[in-house]
Amino acid sequence: MSGYNQLFVPGMTASAGCVTPSNELSRAAEVLEWPGITIDEMNLFSQRVAVVAEVDSHAHDERVASGWGPVTDRMAVALWEWEESRATMPPAVVTLRGVIARGQRWQRVLAAAGGFVGFCSTAILLDQSHEPNQHCLMTAHMHGVAVLRSSQPGERPYLAQAGRVGPVATAKPSTLSRWVEELVYARLMDDDLLTAQVTG
């Protein structure tokens, strides 16, 4: 059986088995101290957001070796909850660390980010020309969503207000959360962001 020891992304710098593209969204993730790979333009639950996901390279290696690619069919993932299916369920490769909604109107992006508070940390990134007002900050604080504002090109965004670390306290792993992880895993594979190097 072929072995794999590291994840590579051409033209990007690897860190702790994961890589992060160099752009404003990845700098926002750095400001928020979210580890992992930043994926822009993910369409989840009819919302276009950026996702920060941490990859378990060993689980990815195991799935590559066993032929278990991403499973994006929601009903197929739901079957893993059955006791008789748990023994053959593939290991989870992706852990969601954060979701960022970006835009000009804070009401719109806050509504988008707020839908993911049960999955992971969340944040909104406002354009440089739109400074968050007190209503924005209070509403975001109520939902545990971090608020950032774009800075000059090439600079890290300004953190106007920190948010909750992780999902809401009542959140628990579910078929839905695992399905979202598989969707993110599929996007990483589609974008060639998880290419295992064969070592022999």
Side-chain angles (χ1 to χ4, degrees):
M1 182 180 295
S2 297
Y4 303 84
N5 66 351
Q6 193 173 2
L7 301 180
F8 283 83
V9 178
M12 299 180 185
T13 303
S15 175
C18 293
V19 292
T20 305
S22 178
N23 55 36
E24 187 174 32
L25 287 166
S26 65
R27 287 192 290 271
E30 292 173 1
V31 170
L32 295 163
E33 298 183 350
W34 295 349
I37 303 173
T38 303
I39 312 160
D40 196 7
E41 297 291 327
M42 274 218 70
N43 193 359
L44 295 171
F45 307 114
S46 300
Q47 300 291 349
R48 187 162 291 182
V49 294
V51 175
V52 180
E54 195 165 19
V55 173
D56 182 335
S57 59
H58 296 294
H60 174 60
D61 291 349
E62 182 179 334
R63 288 183 65 160
V64 169
S66 61
W68 263 111
V71 180
T72 58
D73 181 81
R74 187 171 176 178
M75 292 304 297
V77 174
L79 293 176
W80 295 345
E81 293 296 307
W82 295 11
E83 187 173 349
E84 56 267 33
S85 299
R86 290 177 184 171
T88 57
M89 180 175 66
V93 172
V94 166
T95 300
L96 301 184
R97 293 304 182 193
V99 167
I100 303 173
R102 179 179 183 177
Q104 297 181 356
R105 294 179 56 83
W106 67 265
Q107 296 94 333
R108 179 173 296 177
V109 292
L110 186 56
F116 296 90
V117 296
F119 293 92
C120 55
S121 301
T122 52
I124 61 174
L125 177 61
L126 300 175
D127 290 353
Q128 186 181 1
S129 59
H130 288 71
E131 184 173 358
N133 56 32
Q134 285 302 310
H135 189 193
C136 168
L137 296 175
M138 288 177 61
T139 307
H141 175 72
M142 199 165 57
H143 293 281
V145 179
V147 179
L148 301 101
R149 183 186 179 197
S150 295
S151 299
Q152 295 294 329
E155 295 182 0
R156 286 154 63 102
Y158 167 69
L159 180 61
Q161 181 172 273
R164 181 192 304 106
V165 177
V168 294
T170 55
K172 295 180 180 179
S174 65
T175 297
L176 183 61
S177 61
R178 180 60 193 271
W179 177 60
V180 171
E181 291 169 357
E182 291 293 312
L183 292 176
V184 174
Y185 184 29
R187 171 64 185 274
L188 291 169
M189 296 289 284
D190 288 344
D191 290 354
D192 292 327
L193 294 179
L194 299 182
T195 304
Q197 183 185 42
V198 179
T199 58

